[in-house]
Each structure stands twice: as structure tokens, then as C-alpha cells.
Amino acid sequence: MAYDGEGGVDTLVNIEGLRGSRFNDVLTGGNVANDAFEFFIGMGGNDTIDGGSGYDRADYNTAADAVSANLQEGIAYDGLGGLDTLVNVEGLRGGGFNDHLTGSTVANRLEGGLGDDTLLGGAGDDTLVGDKGNDSMVGDVGRDIFGWGPSSAGDTDWVEDPEVGDSLYFTGLSFEELLDVSPSELQVGQATLAPRSTASRRSTCAMPRAIPASSPSS
């Protein structure tokens, strides 16, 4: 059910996502039938988002400014002037600005969206997706996945701390498009990466760490 802010009480059936208002909303998930995926868009105000059971994502792609969200601390500056409280949320999606998204100790999925984003996975088997912009992605402990899509062509991204077993996914892109080098020149530590197919390219890190020669400028 939903108290709709206009005096009514609505009945919700087969709903996987909720979108709030410009006020201080409380959005709650947890229907076990939707454990595979639920999403929440708080909009403005100081919202409380409780995903409940299963996998839940807080979505900030409507933000008017940079978003800073931390799943370990359970807070998010929403880019609309509000400070949200996040409980039982495993995923974050940023907006069109330079967002800073931090995971927790469980398996998280962080999607930067547009802008020069910083994605910090923390512990757990995380998935970090930079998208368009010059992004910085740090995996930390766990078997992490770093992903890029077609809109990443021409960007310069920073990937730090791939562990043994971590994977790099390039969807719809060639290594030459990403780094202007041939596959034989692309290395992680001492392990050369090579594409497995032309459509979706996956490379697995065989060395404990990949430390670039210099740090990003921002």
C-alpha cells in the first residue's frame, strides 16, 4: 500500500519500483516475489529507502547535481538538496554529473552513469560500471567485475586493485577503441589481456594487482 500524499491510501500489486516526491518520503520494498530486483527513486527531500529482502537499487539518474552515496554508511546526498537514508540497498545508479558511489561489505552493483564518476566497491564481489566519462573504479577485496559499454569510447578510466579472479568486460568495444593500443600491448600487472570474442570481450586478471604508472589527475 501507499499513502499518496494527497489523503489517499493506494493498493499496490505487482510493483517492482517506487518513485517519491519532492518531500520527505518513505519508500519500502521487501516483497519476496520481487527479490530479484527492486528499484527506488527518492527524488527531492530527505527520503528513507528500505529495500527489504533481495536485491534493491537506489536510482539517482534524475539528480540535478553530483550525487554522493555510501551504502556502508547508509546515506546519500541525492543531488537535489536532500540527504537520504538507505537501508538494505545493494545497488546504486548515479546521474549525469561527477558522482561518488561507495559500496558496502556485501556484493554491490555501482553504475556511474554520465560524468566523471568515482566508484568504490569495498569488500564483496562487486560490479562497477563506469559508462560515459573519465571514471575511477576501485574494486578492493572480492571477485569484482569492471564493466564498460559502447558509450565509453574515447574516455580515460582508472581501474585500481583488480585481484586474482576479477574480470574486465568490454561490451561492443575493441581494445583499440578503449586505449588506442593493440590487444598485445594491454597488460594488467604482468598478465596480457586478450579479447575472447568480437561482440562482448571479457578478460580475466591473472595477477594480484594492477597499478598504473601514474595516478589520475582528479
Side-chain angles (χ1 to χ4, degrees):
M1 67 177 186
Y3 295 94
D4 63 10
E6 296 184 344
V9 180
D10 300 334
T11 299
L12 308 180
V13 180
N14 298 324
I15 301 296
E16 293 81 32
L18 294 172
R19 177 171 176 163
S21 69
R22 59 190 177 91
F23 301 101
N24 301 336
D25 302 311
V26 178
L27 307 179
T28 304
N31 187 335
V32 294
N34 300 327
D35 275 357
F37 177 64
E38 291 179 327
F39 69 93
F40 304 88
I41 305 174
M43 300 299 292
N46 300 325
D47 304 310
T48 298
I49 298 174
D50 187 344
S53 61
Y55 172 77
D56 307 282
R57 184 182 73 202
D59 197 325
Y60 292 99
N61 66 352
T62 61
D65 203 348
V67 172
S68 180
N70 188 314
L71 294 180
Q72 186 64 32
E73 297 180 359
I75 59 173
Y77 294 91
D78 64 8
L80 293 166
L83 175 59
D84 295 343
T85 299
L86 306 179
V87 181
N88 297 318
V89 173
E90 295 78 33
L92 291 170
R93 173 177 284 180
F97 300 89
N98 302 338
D99 302 317
H100 194 288
L101 309 180
T102 302
S104 63
T105 58
V106 302
N108 303 122
R109 180 181 176 91
L110 308 180
E111 303 174 39
L114 304 181
D116 300 339
D117 305 307
T118 299
L119 310 179
L120 308 176
D125 299 339
D126 305 309
T127 299
L128 310 180
V129 181
D131 210 336
K132 186 66 176 175
N134 301 322
D135 304 309
S136 176
M137 295 182 280
V138 181
D140 209 332
V141 178
R143 288 178 173 265
D144 303 311
I145 296 173
F146 303 89
W148 294 264
S151 63
S152 300
D155 297 338
T156 300
D157 291 344
W158 165 273
V159 177
E160 182 177 336
D161 203 27
E163 303 275 338
V164 171
D166 287 357
S167 296
L168 309 179
Y169 282 86
F170 309 92
T171 302
L173 289 170
S174 69
F175 290 107
E176 293 87 343
E177 289 171 325
L178 283 166
L179 296 176
D180 195 27
V181 297
S182 67
S184 62
E185 295 173 320
L186 180 60
Q187 293 190 341
V188 174
Q190 300 176 22
T192 300
L193 305 182
R196 294 186 177 180
S197 68
T198 57
S200 180
R201 300 161 189 262
R202 171 182 176 182
S203 298
T204 301
C205 302
M207 299 300 293
R209 291 177 64 87
I211 303 300
S214 61
S215 298
S217 57
S218 60

